[in-house]
Amino acid sequence: MTMPADPPETRYRLPLFPLPVVLLPGAPLPLHIFEPRYREMLEDCLDSDRRFGLIYHDRDRRGPFLCEEGSIGCIAEIGEHRELSDGRALIVVTGVERFRIVDGIESDSQYFEGLVTPYGDTTELPDELLASRRRESIELFHHVLDTLSERPDQLPELQPDRETSFLLAQTIGVDPSWHQRLLELRDEQARLTELDRVFRAALD
């Protein structure tokens, strides 16, 4: 009996922007674009689908960015965009979905480009169990909010029938390497467990 072949891996070309910050799916992020190569990247993105890949990279810790195979990032979609008189730009992007670098691409562009593939979750619970698990984390998050003297002005809209872990993670100000580890987890239940640990520590 012949087993069906695995579906071919989808690959596509993507401009890459390495920064010492982590963009999470669903999260907004303001950016100041001033380097000439990223001005070029921004112009090219605005002329196409308004998307590029943001990759967490701390040059002080890891040295030059080398477009390493296997690195995980998040697609950034450009929303607000304001050009300044000197050529710089202020933009706000929103995280869309995760990707994995398959290979770097040499091109005539000044900015980095990579061949990437989608990077989604590999484990899933039945919808009703996952919704119940999300409710637990949402409830714990609200317990933390109740201990604060002032609630944050803007909070993500949390619904148990939708992906919740990345929305909750936006609210936690920690070292970006923690957010990166969360971004790389391919199981929402595992991400919620990591978040719950932080919330419980805040309540202790």
Side-chain angles (χ1 to χ4, degrees):
M1 178 178 177
T2 303
M3 297 297 291
D6 291 334
E9 184 181 64
T10 301
R11 299 181 176 191
Y12 56 97
R13 188 170 182 151
L14 187 68
L16 299 176
F17 194 175
L19 284 174
V21 297
V22 177
L23 178 65
L24 298 169
L29 180 67
L31 293 173
H32 175 202
I33 308 298
F34 56 89
E35 288 188 50
R37 59 179 165 181
Y38 296 119
R39 293 187 199 177
E40 179 186 341
M41 183 196 75
L42 176 61
E43 183 177 344
D44 288 347
C45 289
L46 291 172
D47 286 341
S48 58
D49 62 359
R50 302 177 71 91
R51 293 185 173 192
F52 60 88
L54 196 149
I55 284 278
Y56 170 60
H57 181 80
D58 189 331
R59 186 183 179 90
D60 293 336
R61 293 182 183 179
R62 301 184 60 184
F65 178 66
L66 300 175
C67 207
E68 295 93 341
E69 179 183 352
S71 296
I72 308 302
C74 185
I75 291 177
E77 184 169 67
I78 301 166
E80 296 179 37
H81 163 243
R82 181 161 69 92
E83 291 281 352
L84 303 178
S85 58
D86 58 2
R88 294 176 297 125
L90 301 175
I91 65 174
V92 177
V93 302
T94 301
V96 179
E97 62 185 13
R98 295 173 290 171
F99 66 86
R100 176 176 61 85
I101 295 178
V102 176
D103 200 359
I105 292 176
E106 293 187 8
S107 70
D108 295 332
S109 302
Q110 296 184 63
Y111 55 84
F112 300 102
E113 291 186 274
L115 185 66
V116 307
T117 189
Y119 184 84
D121 283 352
T122 56
T123 58
E124 293 184 0
L125 286 175
D127 290 344
E128 63 274 12
L129 293 180
L130 189 52
S132 176
R133 181 64 188 82
R134 289 167 177 158
R135 287 189 190 95
E136 293 176 11
S137 294
I138 292 171
E139 183 177 352
L140 189 56
F141 172 64
H142 283 291
H143 284 325
V144 173
L145 290 180
D146 290 340
T147 68
L148 302 179
S149 56
E150 292 186 12
R151 292 173 68 94
D153 292 334
Q154 294 185 335
L155 291 172
E157 184 178 345
L158 302 170
Q159 299 181 21
D161 61 343
R162 298 181 181 179
E163 206 289 335
T164 299
S165 60
F166 291 128
L167 295 178
L168 285 172
Q170 301 174 33
T171 68
I172 300 175
V174 294
D175 187 283
S177 60
W178 184 87
H179 277 136
Q180 180 64 24
R181 289 195 296 273
L182 204 73
L183 188 74
E184 294 175 6
L185 287 175
R186 307 187 80 175
D187 180 339
E188 188 180 5
Q189 185 173 208
R191 292 192 295 270
L192 291 171
T193 297
E194 290 299 314
L195 288 159
D196 288 354
R197 288 177 183 154
V198 175
F199 296 147
R200 290 194 177 98
L203 292 171
D204 289 342

